[in-house]
Structure formats: C-alpha cells, structure tokens
Amino acid sequence: MTSASPCEDTRAGASLTAEPVLRVRDLQAHVAGQQVVEHVDLDVAPVGVTALLGRNGVGKTSTIKAILGLVGRSGTVELDGTDLVPLPTHLVVRRGVGYVPEDREVFAGLTVRDNLRLAERRGSTHHYDLVYDLFPELHQRGGQAAGTLSGGQQQMVSLARALLNDNQVLLVDEPTKGLAPRLVAEVSRVLARAAQVAPVLLVEQNLQVVRDLAQHAVVLTDGRSVHHGPAADLLADDELTQRLLGVHADTGDQGRPADPEAPA
Amino acid sequence: MSTVVLLLFTGVGLGAIYFLVASGLSLIYGLMHVLNFAHGVFLSLGAFLGFEVASRLGATTWTGFAASLLVGALAGAVFAALTERLLVQRLYERHIEQVLVTVGLGLAAVALFDGIWGTDPRFISGPAWMGRTTSVLGANVPNDRFVAILVAALVLLGMVLFLQRTRYGMIIRAGVENRAMVTALGIDVRTAFTLVFTIGGVAAGLGGVLASHYFGYVSPLLGQTLLIFAFIVTVIGGLGSLTGAAIASVLVALLQQFANYYLAGTGDLAVVVLLAVVLLTRPSGLMGRRA
Ligand SMILES: Nc1ncnc2c1ncn2[C@@H]1O[C@H](COP(=O)(O)OP(=O)(O)O)[C@@H](O)[C@H]1O
Ligand SMILES: [Mg+2]
C-alpha cells in the first residue's frame, strides 16, 4: 500500500490539496468474527463536511466504529500525525474525536443533564453556551430522562454530547435517520454550524442534506472505498450516483421510509 | 402470630445477607457481563478474617464485632479489586474464560481456606446482646437479625447515593445501559469495572461477617453456598438492577423461611419454583430491562 492520497486517481478539487485532518489508509474491521470493512482509504478534509456514502450494509457504520476503535481493526488512522489504531477508544476520543452514533444511543435512564455531564471530556472546554443556544429545548428538559424524549429530541442530545467538547473532527452517522422533514432541516442547520467549528465526516442517506452540506464525498461498496471526489461532481453525475448509491441523484433520498419522530 | 413475626424477621434478616452478596453480583454483571463465580470467596474471606480479628480483640466485645465488620469489608474490597485487576480485566470481553477463571478461583480459594482454617465449621460468638432476643409482637427475635437488616439497609442506601450522586456512579449507570457508548465519550470504563468489583467486595465481606453470626459459624464453603442463592436472587431481581436485587433478596428469603416452616422444609424447592416461574413469565427478571 502506498501512502498516496486516495484523491489522486479522481478529480481532486482545489480544497483537497490541503492536508486532511484524518487520514485513513487500508482500514479493515471485524465485527462478530467477520470482516465487514476490507479496504477503506479516506481523507477527512480539514474544513467543511466530507460525506461517507454507499448503499445499506456496505460498512459505513463499521468504518466509523473502526476509526473509534469500537470494533477490531487494522490499518492506519492518522489524526494530526498520530496513528489512532493502537489506542483504546477513550483515548482516541480524548484526542478530539466527537461521535454522534447511528440510532442516537443516548442513555435512556439518565437525565438530559446527566447525559451531557457524562459527555464532558477531560482536557476540553465545555461549550454549554453553544449547546443550549443550538438546542434551547435541552435546557428546559434538563431533568427529564433521555429515554422519554422523542426521536428528534434524542438526536439533539446525541449531537449536543459531541458538540459540547472541542473536537479535531466530528464523526456523525446518519443523523437524520427516521426524522420528520422539519427535523431533518434543523439537524442540517446544526451540522452546518458544527462544521464551522470542526471538520465533519458525515454518513447520510438523504442526498439533499449531502448536497447542502458536503464538499467532498467518499463512496463505499462492499467494505471498500471505491470513489473519492467533490460531492457536487458525484451528485451531478446521475449515472455514477445510480451505480454507486442505487438512487437517482435528483430524487434525493435513497428510498428509506421516514419514521417521523417515533420515540426510540 | 408470633411465629409469623419471627419468620418475617428471620426471613428479612436472611434477605439482608442475600442482598449483600447479590448486590455486587448484579452490578458486576450489569456493567461487565461477568458472572462472578468467585464472589462467595469475598464473603468467606471477610468472615474468616473478621472472625480472626474478633477473637483477638475479644469476640464478645462490641469493639471486636465492629473491628470484624471493618476487616471483613476491607478484606472483601481488597480481594475483589485484585481479582478484577489481575484476572478478570485481562480477559476483557472473553466471557467464557472469565467464567472459567472465576470458577477456578472459587475452587482454589475454598481449598486454601480448608488448608488454613480446616474443613470443620468455626463457631462464632459475638457481643452478648447479639445472642439474645427482643420481643416483637410476642415473638422472640434474635438480635443479630436486626443488625444484619440495619447493615444491609445502610449498604443499600450508600450504593444508591453513590450511583445517583457521584460521577462514577453516573458512569456505572450509563455503562450498565451501553458500555461502548461510555467509552465513546472518552471515559476509561475500566476504572469503573474495578470500582464495581471493590464495592461488591465490601458488601460481600460485610455479608460474610453477618452471615457467620446469623448461622453461628463460618466454614470454607459458607460463601459459595450463599452464592447459589445470591445468583438466583440476582436473576429473579433482574441482572444489573440494584433495586431488583434488594426486592428479590427479601422475597426469596421470606419464601424460603415460610416454606421451610409451613411446607415441611421445602424452602429450597420453593425458591427454585419461584425462579422457574419468574424466568417463564418475566425472563429479564422483576426489574430487569428487556434484552
Ligand atoms: N453486530 C453485527 N453482527 C454481524 N454482522 C454485522 C454486525 N454489524 C454489522 N454487520 C454487517 O456488517 C456489514 C456492514 O454493516 P454496517 O457497517 O452497519 O453498514 P452500513 O452502515 O453501511 O449500513 C453489513 O453486511 C452488516 O450485516
Ligand atoms: Mg449504518
């Protein structure tokens, strides 16, 4: 494996020449004794949003979990020149990796306030002002058990936990999954603001959200990264989107039924 | 009437001892998914070392009794922390191996206790008041029951305050729900593992001293015998639930006492039947979360 940028073989946009904040090379991941990520190269651009795309089950979530060390992994994951692969998850995170997992994963039995307090990361400033500015509702519902919140509110808690800290990079996995259109727009707004503070790697099925937020895109197929390039170019190419993502670029969503605000 | 009252206090007293063992088991399982088959060892060690200290300071004095509780708690804590650090943590996420190691430690420790203290029971004496009875509604209730109930209630209160009011308590509660997500917030959950073992060890060590007074003796098998019932209590209460463990402890002990008295010594059988009923109707236990 050479250390060449995976962007070389595609149409590298001008902004891609900047040093990536996160450089993933030959990443492999194992879940339940099975190799679900076979070979992923990806760069997270130092500013803005890099989208991680692909059909259901291609290994997007597993790639993110592998970056965090939540699943067995090999390869290299460089953040700021340090390889994260030898580190346990909590030390990866303390280096400034914020994580918003698929399906929110709030602590249902803890209050909203305790969910946030638990997320206060050692060695970081805690931006409660930002968080309560973005999500005033969380301030009002501070004493409520997170498990009793609606799906949209839980997603806010999950986003707030990550945005509370100083991040070098944010890993956000399907933040609009199952949300009503109004909430999709709100999450999208929050992410745009988050991306001004720290670069984001975003897994997202809603292509309109990708179009609005992402400058760069990486596409996975069967546990392998198969495409890197400007997000706009990918989404402008109907044949390519159809082949890689299984949808027409102009229909936006990848055929996933929305489940508006169902309490998770 | 007086028989019922006596059975009630005796049952709750036994429940207190079950709780002191089951609380640790339940927290350990809830957080780490480890079935700690060596947990009874913490109890026996606490009982033996408490017995040794009490007999040196005067078994019939309150000083001796208080010292035995202190030493029992300490012995349980230290041994539990070492077990976690030296054995269990090395087998992180390897559940079969963890079970084998704790079973092995249980067997080895019983053999060690046999070697040091012999296989015959050592009879325990305490302050004279503990051996006397207090009349409650016409029943003569042995005073050691009250002490066991009081200590267990204080331990329950302490655990609840710790879990609800401290950051480590919060980490443990969150970890019982979703351990991976706790680490993904940048928290080293292994510290919480050691802490949970240590707390379990304290409770079991106290339970050992109290059990030796309740039964009147200590033997190398005392802990592992109680462990069987503590596991049943933990399953009935719901693995991982402290409240569940408290309720189930009292429930199981009362059932055992009443069935022993009124149904011709069928207490243990009744407990097994209760376990089967709970498993069939509420597989995750009284207070357990759905799997
Ligand atoms: N816990 C698991 N046990 C077994 N297989 C899994 C597990 N999690 C994910 N997989 C498999 O790994 C592959 C990649 O899954 P995932 O990373 O969740 O994909 P994506 O996020 O792209 O939808 C899928 O084929 C899925 O079936
Ligand atoms: Mg996924």
Side-chain angles (χ1 to χ4, degrees), chain A residues 161-197:
Chain A
R161 281 192 312 204
L163 299 179
L164 186 64
N165 300 286
D166 298 319
N167 295 300
Q168 298 252 57
V169 62
L170 270 171
L171 310 177
V172 185
D173 196 352
E174 302 218 22
T176 68
K177 187 177 179 183
L179 298 185
R182 178 178 58 81
L183 291 167
V184 172
E186 176 162 359
V187 166
S188 191
R189 251 193 326 273
V190 167
L191 287 173
R193 194 146 158 214
Q196 291 170 354
V197 186

PDB file of all heavy atoms in Angstrom, chain A residues 161-197:
ATOM      1  N   ARG A 161     -24.009  16.118  22.932  1.00  0.00           N
ATOM      2  CA  ARG A 161     -22.918  15.441  23.640  1.00  0.00           C
ATOM      3  C   ARG A 161     -21.593  15.608  22.902  1.00  0.00           C
ATOM      4  O   ARG A 161     -20.542  15.753  23.505  1.00  0.00           O
ATOM      5  CB  ARG A 161     -23.218  13.933  23.777  1.00  0.00           C
ATOM      6  CG  ARG A 161     -24.189  13.590  24.867  1.00  0.00           C
ATOM      7  CD  ARG A 161     -24.224  12.108  25.146  1.00  0.00           C
ATOM      8  NE  ARG A 161     -24.335  11.284  23.949  1.00  0.00           N
ATOM      9  CZ  ARG A 161     -24.830  10.054  23.945  1.00  0.00           C
ATOM     10  NH1 ARG A 161     -25.264   9.506  25.063  1.00  0.00           N
ATOM     11  NH2 ARG A 161     -24.890   9.355  22.829  1.00  0.00           N
ATOM     12  N   ALA A 162     -21.667  15.563  21.575  1.00  0.00           N
ATOM     13  CA  ALA A 162     -20.437  15.702  20.794  1.00  0.00           C
ATOM     14  C   ALA A 162     -20.009  17.165  20.693  1.00  0.00           C
ATOM     15  O   ALA A 162     -18.832  17.489  20.828  1.00  0.00           O
ATOM     16  CB  ALA A 162     -20.627  15.107  19.406  1.00  0.00           C
ATOM     17  N   LEU A 163     -20.982  18.054  20.492  1.00  0.00           N
ATOM     18  CA  LEU A 163     -20.641  19.466  20.279  1.00  0.00           C
ATOM     19  C   LEU A 163     -20.228  20.184  21.561  1.00  0.00           C
ATOM     20  O   LEU A 163     -19.690  21.290  21.515  1.00  0.00           O
ATOM     21  CB  LEU A 163     -21.834  20.202  19.651  1.00  0.00           C
ATOM     22  CG  LEU A 163     -22.262  19.673  18.286  1.00  0.00           C
ATOM     23  CD1 LEU A 163     -23.453  20.448  17.756  1.00  0.00           C
ATOM     24  CD2 LEU A 163     -21.098  19.741  17.288  1.00  0.00           C
ATOM     25  N   LEU A 164     -20.469  19.539  22.692  1.00  0.00           N
ATOM     26  CA  LEU A 164     -20.110  20.125  23.980  1.00  0.00           C
ATOM     27  C   LEU A 164     -18.596  20.331  24.096  1.00  0.00           C
ATOM     28  O   LEU A 164     -18.134  21.226  24.796  1.00  0.00           O
ATOM     29  CB  LEU A 164     -20.594  19.176  25.085  1.00  0.00           C
ATOM     30  CG  LEU A 164     -20.475  19.616  26.524  1.00  0.00           C
ATOM     31  CD1 LEU A 164     -21.362  20.826  26.763  1.00  0.00           C
ATOM     32  CD2 LEU A 164     -20.906  18.473  27.438  1.00  0.00           C
ATOM     33  N   ASN A 165     -17.832  19.503  23.401  1.00  0.00           N
ATOM     34  CA  ASN A 165     -16.376  19.499  23.566  1.00  0.00           C
ATOM     35  C   ASN A 165     -15.652  20.131  22.382  1.00  0.00           C
ATOM     36  O   ASN A 165     -16.228  20.332  21.320  1.00  0.00           O
ATOM     37  CB  ASN A 165     -15.905  18.045  23.725  1.00  0.00           C
ATOM     38  CG  ASN A 165     -16.531  17.382  24.931  1.00  0.00           C
ATOM     39  OD1 ASN A 165     -16.157  17.665  26.051  1.00  0.00           O
ATOM     40  ND2 ASN A 165     -17.512  16.523  24.688  1.00  0.00           N
ATOM     41  N   ASP A 166     -14.360  20.398  22.601  1.00  0.00           N
ATOM     42  CA  ASP A 166     -13.503  20.814  21.491  1.00  0.00           C
ATOM     43  C   ASP A 166     -13.205  19.580  20.656  1.00  0.00           C
ATOM     44  O   ASP A 166     -12.744  18.569  21.186  1.00  0.00           O
ATOM     45  CB  ASP A 166     -12.165  21.343  22.025  1.00  0.00           C
ATOM     46  CG  ASP A 166     -12.364  22.569  22.899  1.00  0.00           C
ATOM     47  OD1 ASP A 166     -13.192  23.412  22.546  1.00  0.00           O
ATOM     48  OD2 ASP A 166     -11.671  22.670  23.922  1.00  0.00           O
ATOM     49  N   ASN A 167     -13.479  19.648  19.371  1.00  0.00           N
ATOM     50  CA  ASN A 167     -13.202  18.496  18.524  1.00  0.00           C
ATOM     51  C   ASN A 167     -12.212  18.832  17.422  1.00  0.00           C
ATOM     52  O   ASN A 167     -12.257  19.924  16.857  1.00  0.00           O
ATOM     53  CB  ASN A 167     -14.501  17.991  17.884  1.00  0.00           C
ATOM     54  CG  ASN A 167     -15.475  17.446  18.900  1.00  0.00           C
ATOM     55  OD1 ASN A 167     -15.158  16.498  19.617  1.00  0.00           O
ATOM     56  ND2 ASN A 167     -16.644  18.056  18.985  1.00  0.00           N
ATOM     57  N   GLN A 168     -11.348  17.864  17.125  1.00  0.00           N
ATOM     58  CA  GLN A 168     -10.495  17.969  15.938  1.00  0.00           C
ATOM     59  C   GLN A 168     -11.293  17.551  14.718  1.00  0.00           C
ATOM     60  O   GLN A 168     -11.077  18.026  13.617  1.00  0.00           O
ATOM     61  CB  GLN A 168      -9.307  17.018  16.067  1.00  0.00           C
ATOM     62  CG  GLN A 168      -8.408  17.313  17.216  1.00  0.00           C
ATOM     63  CD  GLN A 168      -7.124  17.895  16.689  1.00  0.00           C
ATOM     64  OE1 GLN A 168      -7.150  18.907  15.994  1.00  0.00           O
ATOM     65  NE2 GLN A 168      -6.017  17.262  17.006  1.00  0.00           N
ATOM     66  N   VAL A 169     -12.170  16.566  14.963  1.00  0.00           N
ATOM     67  CA  VAL A 169     -13.008  16.049  13.884  1.00  0.00           C
ATOM     68  C   VAL A 169     -14.277  15.467  14.509  1.00  0.00           C
ATOM     69  O   VAL A 169     -14.253  14.970  15.632  1.00  0.00           O
ATOM     70  CB  VAL A 169     -12.233  14.992  13.048  1.00  0.00           C
ATOM     71  CG1 VAL A 169     -11.844  13.790  13.891  1.00  0.00           C
ATOM     72  CG2 VAL A 169     -13.028  14.557  11.823  1.00  0.00           C
ATOM     73  N   LEU A 170     -15.370  15.558  13.771  1.00  0.00           N
ATOM     74  CA  LEU A 170     -16.652  15.011  14.231  1.00  0.00           C
ATOM     75  C   LEU A 170     -17.053  13.860  13.319  1.00  0.00           C
ATOM     76  O   LEU A 170     -17.052  14.019  12.096  1.00  0.00           O
ATOM     77  CB  LEU A 170     -17.732  16.074  14.138  1.00  0.00           C
ATOM     78  CG  LEU A 170     -17.993  17.000  15.312  1.00  0.00           C
ATOM     79  CD1 LEU A 170     -18.956  18.099  14.874  1.00  0.00           C
ATOM     80  CD2 LEU A 170     -18.590  16.223  16.466  1.00  0.00           C
ATOM     81  N   LEU A 171     -17.423  12.730  13.910  1.00  0.00           N
ATOM     82  CA  LEU A 171     -17.904  11.605  13.123  1.00  0.00           C
ATOM     83  C   LEU A 171     -19.406  11.492  13.370  1.00  0.00           C
ATOM     84  O   LEU A 171     -19.839  11.236  14.486  1.00  0.00           O
ATOM     85  CB  LEU A 171     -17.204  10.315  13.554  1.00  0.00           C
ATOM     86  CG  LEU A 171     -15.676  10.372  13.641  1.00  0.00           C
ATOM     87  CD1 LEU A 171     -15.119   9.047  14.152  1.00  0.00           C
ATOM     88  CD2 LEU A 171     -15.077  10.711  12.275  1.00  0.00           C
ATOM     89  N   VAL A 172     -20.189  11.714  12.333  1.00  0.00           N
ATOM     90  CA  VAL A 172     -21.646  11.777  12.509  1.00  0.00           C
ATOM     91  C   VAL A 172     -22.293  10.729  11.605  1.00  0.00           C
ATOM     92  O   VAL A 172     -22.159  10.779  10.384  1.00  0.00           O
ATOM     93  CB  VAL A 172     -22.174  13.184  12.177  1.00  0.00           C
ATOM     94  CG1 VAL A 172     -23.667  13.266  12.480  1.00  0.00           C
ATOM     95  CG2 VAL A 172     -21.426  14.251  12.966  1.00  0.00           C
ATOM     96  N   ASP A 173     -23.007   9.779  12.229  1.00  0.00           N
ATOM     97  CA  ASP A 173     -23.540   8.634  11.492  1.00  0.00           C
ATOM     98  C   ASP A 173     -25.067   8.735  11.358  1.00  0.00           C
ATOM     99  O   ASP A 173     -25.790   8.570  12.332  1.00  0.00           O
ATOM    100  CB  ASP A 173     -23.152   7.343  12.226  1.00  0.00           C
ATOM    101  CG  ASP A 173     -23.321   6.103  11.355  1.00  0.00           C
ATOM    102  OD1 ASP A 173     -23.880   6.223  10.246  1.00  0.00           O
ATOM    103  OD2 ASP A 173     -22.890   5.015  11.782  1.00  0.00           O
ATOM    104  N   GLU A 174     -25.527   8.999  10.169  1.00  0.00           N
ATOM    105  CA  GLU A 174     -26.961   9.074   9.843  1.00  0.00           C
ATOM    106  C   GLU A 174     -27.784   9.885  10.847  1.00  0.00           C
ATOM    107  O   GLU A 174     -28.733   9.368  11.447  1.00  0.00           O
ATOM    108  CB  GLU A 174     -27.536   7.654   9.725  1.00  0.00           C
ATOM    109  CG  GLU A 174     -26.798   6.850   8.671  1.00  0.00           C
ATOM    110  CD  GLU A 174     -27.721   5.944   7.869  1.00  0.00           C
ATOM    111  OE1 GLU A 174     -28.937   6.218   7.833  1.00  0.00           O
ATOM    112  OE2 GLU A 174     -27.222   4.997   7.265  1.00  0.00           O
ATOM    113  N   PRO A 175     -27.481  11.164  10.985  1.00  0.00           N
ATOM    114  CA  PRO A 175     -28.179  11.977  11.985  1.00  0.00           C
ATOM    115  C   PRO A 175     -29.635  12.278  11.641  1.00  0.00           C
ATOM    116  O   PRO A 175     -30.402  12.657  12.520  1.00  0.00           O
ATOM    117  CB  PRO A 175     -27.366  13.279  12.006  1.00  0.00           C
ATOM    118  CG  PRO A 175     -26.761  13.369  10.647  1.00  0.00           C
ATOM    119  CD  PRO A 175     -26.473  11.947  10.241  1.00  0.00           C
ATOM    120  N   THR A 176     -30.029  12.109  10.392  1.00  0.00           N
ATOM    121  CA  THR A 176     -31.422  12.428  10.047  1.00  0.00           C
ATOM    122  C   THR A 176     -32.282  11.173   9.920  1.00  0.00           C
ATOM    123  O   THR A 176     -33.469  11.261   9.582  1.00  0.00           O
ATOM    124  CB  THR A 176     -31.508  13.201   8.708  1.00  0.00           C
ATOM    125  OG1 THR A 176     -31.126  12.323   7.639  1.00  0.00           O
ATOM    126  CG2 THR A 176     -30.605  14.410   8.704  1.00  0.00           C
ATOM    127  N   LYS A 177     -31.704  10.028  10.236  1.00  0.00           N
ATOM    128  CA  LYS A 177     -32.431   8.770  10.087  1.00  0.00           C
ATOM    129  C   LYS A 177     -33.725   8.789  10.891  1.00  0.00           C
ATOM    130  O   LYS A 177     -33.727   9.062  12.085  1.00  0.00           O
ATOM    131  CB  LYS A 177     -31.535   7.639  10.594  1.00  0.00           C
ATOM    132  CG  LYS A 177     -32.062   6.244  10.371  1.00  0.00           C
ATOM    133  CD  LYS A 177     -31.010   5.259  10.870  1.00  0.00           C
ATOM    134  CE  LYS A 177     -31.435   3.822  10.728  1.00  0.00           C
ATOM    135  NZ  LYS A 177     -30.397   2.938  11.292  1.00  0.00           N
ATOM    136  N   GLY A 178     -34.819   8.524  10.229  1.00  0.00           N
ATOM    137  CA  GLY A 178     -36.102   8.419  10.904  1.00  0.00           C
ATOM    138  C   GLY A 178     -36.699   9.730  11.377  1.00  0.00           C
ATOM    139  O   GLY A 178     -37.635   9.724  12.177  1.00  0.00           O
ATOM    140  N   LEU A 179     -36.179  10.861  10.933  1.00  0.00           N
ATOM    141  CA  LEU A 179     -36.717  12.140  11.399  1.00  0.00           C
ATOM    142  C   LEU A 179     -37.682  12.744  10.375  1.00  0.00           C
ATOM    143  O   LEU A 179     -37.516  12.572   9.171  1.00  0.00           O
ATOM    144  CB  LEU A 179     -35.581  13.134  11.662  1.00  0.00           C
ATOM    145  CG  LEU A 179     -34.570  12.760  12.754  1.00  0.00           C
ATOM    146  CD1 LEU A 179     -33.584  13.884  12.969  1.00  0.00           C
ATOM    147  CD2 LEU A 179     -35.268  12.400  14.055  1.00  0.00           C
ATOM    148  N   ALA A 180     -38.664  13.482  10.886  1.00  0.00           N
ATOM    149  CA  ALA A 180     -39.609  14.203  10.027  1.00  0.00           C
ATOM    150  C   ALA A 180     -38.871  15.319   9.295  1.00  0.00           C
ATOM    151  O   ALA A 180     -37.849  15.807   9.775  1.00  0.00           O
ATOM    152  CB  ALA A 180     -40.719  14.792  10.883  1.00  0.00           C
ATOM    153  N   PRO A 181     -39.370  15.726   8.112  1.00  0.00           N
ATOM    154  CA  PRO A 181     -38.678  16.710   7.274  1.00  0.00           C
ATOM    155  C   PRO A 181     -38.262  17.982   8.021  1.00  0.00           C
ATOM    156  O   PRO A 181     -37.162  18.498   7.817  1.00  0.00           O
ATOM    157  CB  PRO A 181     -39.711  17.036   6.194  1.00  0.00           C
ATOM    158  CG  PRO A 181     -40.540  15.807   6.102  1.00  0.00           C
ATOM    159  CD  PRO A 181     -40.590  15.217   7.471  1.00  0.00           C
ATOM    160  N   ARG A 182     -39.138  18.473   8.907  1.00  0.00           N
ATOM    161  CA  ARG A 182     -38.817  19.691   9.647  1.00  0.00           C
ATOM    162  C   ARG A 182     -37.550  19.474  10.485  1.00  0.00           C
ATOM    163  O   ARG A 182     -36.685  20.345  10.586  1.00  0.00           O
ATOM    164  CB  ARG A 182     -40.002  20.032  10.556  1.00  0.00           C
ATOM    165  CG  ARG A 182     -39.820  21.249  11.424  1.00  0.00           C
ATOM    166  CD  ARG A 182     -41.101  21.506  12.240  1.00  0.00           C
ATOM    167  NE  ARG A 182     -41.472  20.353  13.078  1.00  0.00           N
ATOM    168  CZ  ARG A 182     -40.906  20.111  14.257  1.00  0.00           C
ATOM    169  NH1 ARG A 182     -39.981  20.885  14.729  1.00  0.00           N
ATOM    170  NH2 ARG A 182     -41.282  19.050  14.963  1.00  0.00           N
ATOM    171  N   LEU A 183     -37.444  18.282  11.090  1.00  0.00           N
ATOM    172  CA  LEU A 183     -36.292  17.993  11.936  1.00  0.00           C
ATOM    173  C   LEU A 183     -35.046  17.733  11.105  1.00  0.00           C
ATOM    174  O   LEU A 183     -33.932  18.053  11.524  1.00  0.00           O
ATOM    175  CB  LEU A 183     -36.594  16.796  12.831  1.00  0.00           C
ATOM    176  CG  LEU A 183     -37.645  17.097  13.911  1.00  0.00           C
ATOM    177  CD1 LEU A 183     -38.149  15.822  14.552  1.00  0.00           C
ATOM    178  CD2 LEU A 183     -37.046  18.024  14.959  1.00  0.00           C
ATOM    179  N   VAL A 184     -35.242  17.147   9.910  1.00  0.00           N
ATOM    180  CA  VAL A 184     -34.109  16.942   9.010  1.00  0.00           C
ATOM    181  C   VAL A 184     -33.464  18.292   8.712  1.00  0.00           C
ATOM    182  O   VAL A 184     -32.242  18.450   8.778  1.00  0.00           O
ATOM    183  CB  VAL A 184     -34.542  16.253   7.703  1.00  0.00           C
ATOM    184  CG1 VAL A 184     -33.398  16.231   6.693  1.00  0.00           C
ATOM    185  CG2 VAL A 184     -35.035  14.841   7.980  1.00  0.00           C
ATOM    186  N   ALA A 185     -34.308  19.278   8.440  1.00  0.00           N
ATOM    187  CA  ALA A 185     -33.795  20.616   8.135  1.00  0.00           C
ATOM    188  C   ALA A 185     -33.061  21.199   9.334  1.00  0.00           C
ATOM    189  O   ALA A 185     -32.005  21.826   9.195  1.00  0.00           O
ATOM    190  CB  ALA A 185     -34.947  21.524   7.719  1.00  0.00           C
ATOM    191  N   GLU A 186     -33.611  20.954  10.530  1.00  0.00           N
ATOM    192  CA  GLU A 186     -32.963  21.502  11.721  1.00  0.00           C
ATOM    193  C   GLU A 186     -31.607  20.850  11.972  1.00  0.00           C
ATOM    194  O   GLU A 186     -30.609  21.530  12.266  1.00  0.00           O
ATOM    195  CB  GLU A 186     -33.877  21.332  12.940  1.00  0.00           C
ATOM    196  CG  GLU A 186     -33.167  21.799  14.190  1.00  0.00           C
ATOM    197  CD  GLU A 186     -34.083  22.078  15.353  1.00  0.00           C
ATOM    198  OE1 GLU A 186     -35.313  21.932  15.193  1.00  0.00           O
ATOM    199  OE2 GLU A 186     -33.565  22.452  16.412  1.00  0.00           O
ATOM    200  N   VAL A 187     -31.564  19.515  11.854  1.00  0.00           N
ATOM    201  CA  VAL A 187     -30.297  18.800  12.034  1.00  0.00           C
ATOM    202  C   VAL A 187     -29.275  19.302  11.021  1.00  0.00           C
ATOM    203  O   VAL A 187     -28.101  19.514  11.325  1.00  0.00           O
ATOM    204  CB  VAL A 187     -30.510  17.274  11.906  1.00  0.00           C
ATOM    205  CG1 VAL A 187     -29.191  16.539  11.747  1.00  0.00           C
ATOM    206  CG2 VAL A 187     -31.258  16.746  13.124  1.00  0.00           C
ATOM    207  N   SER A 188     -29.752  19.517   9.808  1.00  0.00           N
ATOM    208  CA  SER A 188     -28.886  20.004   8.745  1.00  0.00           C
ATOM    209  C   SER A 188     -28.285  21.365   9.112  1.00  0.00           C
ATOM    210  O   SER A 188     -27.094  21.614   8.920  1.00  0.00           O
ATOM    211  CB  SER A 188     -29.716  20.088   7.461  1.00  0.00           C
ATOM    212  OG  SER A 188     -28.893  20.306   6.360  1.00  0.00           O
ATOM    213  N   ARG A 189     -29.125  22.237   9.676  1.00  0.00           N
ATOM    214  CA  ARG A 189     -28.649  23.558  10.113  1.00  0.00           C
ATOM    215  C   ARG A 189     -27.596  23.428  11.214  1.00  0.00           C
ATOM    216  O   ARG A 189     -26.564  24.097  11.186  1.00  0.00           O
ATOM    217  CB  ARG A 189     -29.836  24.368  10.657  1.00  0.00           C
ATOM    218  CG  ARG A 189     -30.265  25.524   9.760  1.00  0.00           C
ATOM    219  CD  ARG A 189     -31.215  26.504  10.444  1.00  0.00           C
ATOM    220  NE  ARG A 189     -32.154  25.955  11.407  1.00  0.00           N
ATOM    221  CZ  ARG A 189     -33.355  25.460  11.103  1.00  0.00           C
ATOM    222  NH1 ARG A 189     -33.768  25.430   9.840  1.00  0.00           N
ATOM    223  NH2 ARG A 189     -34.150  24.994  12.045  1.00  0.00           N
ATOM    224  N   VAL A 190     -27.877  22.545  12.159  1.00  0.00           N
ATOM    225  CA  VAL A 190     -26.937  22.343  13.272  1.00  0.00           C
ATOM    226  C   VAL A 190     -25.595  21.846  12.749  1.00  0.00           C
ATOM    227  O   VAL A 190     -24.529  22.307  13.162  1.00  0.00           O
ATOM    228  CB  VAL A 190     -27.535  21.345  14.291  1.00  0.00           C
ATOM    229  CG1 VAL A 190     -26.473  20.884  15.275  1.00  0.00           C
ATOM    230  CG2 VAL A 190     -28.705  21.987  15.013  1.00  0.00           C
ATOM    231  N   LEU A 191     -25.661  20.917  11.793  1.00  0.00           N
ATOM    232  CA  LEU A 191     -24.415  20.360  11.263  1.00  0.00           C
ATOM    233  C   LEU A 191     -23.614  21.415  10.506  1.00  0.00           C
ATOM    234  O   LEU A 191     -22.389  21.448  10.569  1.00  0.00           O
ATOM    235  CB  LEU A 191     -24.706  19.164  10.357  1.00  0.00           C
ATOM    236  CG  LEU A 191     -25.148  17.898  11.086  1.00  0.00           C
ATOM    237  CD1 LEU A 191     -25.561  16.835  10.087  1.00  0.00           C
ATOM    238  CD2 LEU A 191     -24.023  17.372  11.984  1.00  0.00           C
ATOM    239  N   ALA A 192     -24.334  22.285   9.795  1.00  0.00           N
ATOM    240  CA  ALA A 192     -23.639  23.351   9.066  1.00  0.00           C
ATOM    241  C   ALA A 192     -22.872  24.216  10.058  1.00  0.00           C
ATOM    242  O   ALA A 192     -21.719  24.595   9.821  1.00  0.00           O
ATOM    243  CB  ALA A 192     -24.647  24.197   8.280  1.00  0.00           C
ATOM    244  N   ARG A 193     -23.507  24.495  11.194  1.00  0.00           N
ATOM    245  CA  ARG A 193     -22.846  25.309  12.195  1.00  0.00           C
ATOM    246  C   ARG A 193     -21.689  24.544  12.852  1.00  0.00           C
ATOM    247  O   ARG A 193     -20.610  25.102  13.087  1.00  0.00           O
ATOM    248  CB  ARG A 193     -23.872  25.731  13.253  1.00  0.00           C
ATOM    249  CG  ARG A 193     -23.326  26.809  14.093  1.00  0.00           C
ATOM    250  CD  ARG A 193     -24.367  27.796  14.559  1.00  0.00           C
ATOM    251  NE  ARG A 193     -23.844  28.464  15.740  1.00  0.00           N
ATOM    252  CZ  ARG A 193     -24.584  28.863  16.745  1.00  0.00           C
ATOM    253  NH1 ARG A 193     -25.881  28.703  16.713  1.00  0.00           N
ATOM    254  NH2 ARG A 193     -24.019  29.444  17.778  1.00  0.00           N
ATOM    255  N   ALA A 194     -21.911  23.253  13.114  1.00  0.00           N
ATOM    256  CA  ALA A 194     -20.853  22.436  13.727  1.00  0.00           C
ATOM    257  C   ALA A 194     -19.629  22.389  12.822  1.00  0.00           C
ATOM    258  O   ALA A 194     -18.495  22.420  13.289  1.00  0.00           O
ATOM    259  CB  ALA A 194     -21.374  21.024  13.993  1.00  0.00           C
ATOM    260  N   ALA A 195     -19.885  22.331  11.508  1.00  0.00           N
ATOM    261  CA  ALA A 195     -18.781  22.206  10.562  1.00  0.00           C
ATOM    262  C   ALA A 195     -17.932  23.470  10.489  1.00  0.00           C
ATOM    263  O   ALA A 195     -16.808  23.447   9.994  1.00  0.00           O
ATOM    264  CB  ALA A 195     -19.319  21.846   9.178  1.00  0.00           C
ATOM    265  N   GLN A 196     -18.477  24.566  10.986  1.00  0.00           N
ATOM    266  CA  GLN A 196     -17.667  25.791  11.035  1.00  0.00           C
ATOM    267  C   GLN A 196     -16.648  25.720  12.165  1.00  0.00           C
ATOM    268  O   GLN A 196     -15.632  26.411  12.153  1.00  0.00           O
ATOM    269  CB  GLN A 196     -18.567  27.017  11.255  1.00  0.00           C
ATOM    270  CG  GLN A 196     -19.424  27.311  10.048  1.00  0.00           C
ATOM    271  CD  GLN A 196     -20.490  28.363  10.323  1.00  0.00           C
ATOM    272  OE1 GLN A 196     -20.648  28.800  11.466  1.00  0.00           O
ATOM    273  NE2 GLN A 196     -21.213  28.746   9.296  1.00  0.00           N
ATOM    274  N   VAL A 197     -16.936  24.877  13.152  1.00  0.00           N
ATOM    275  CA  VAL A 197     -16.048  24.747  14.311  1.00  0.00           C
ATOM    276  C   VAL A 197     -15.042  23.612  14.125  1.00  0.00           C
ATOM    277  O   VAL A 197     -13.876  23.742  14.468  1.00  0.00           O
ATOM    278  CB  VAL A 197     -16.868  24.517  15.597  1.00  0.00           C
ATOM    279  CG1 VAL A 197     -15.970  24.530  16.819  1.00  0.00           C
ATOM    280  CG2 VAL A 197     -17.971  25.559  15.710  1.00  0.00           C
TER     281      VAL A 197
END
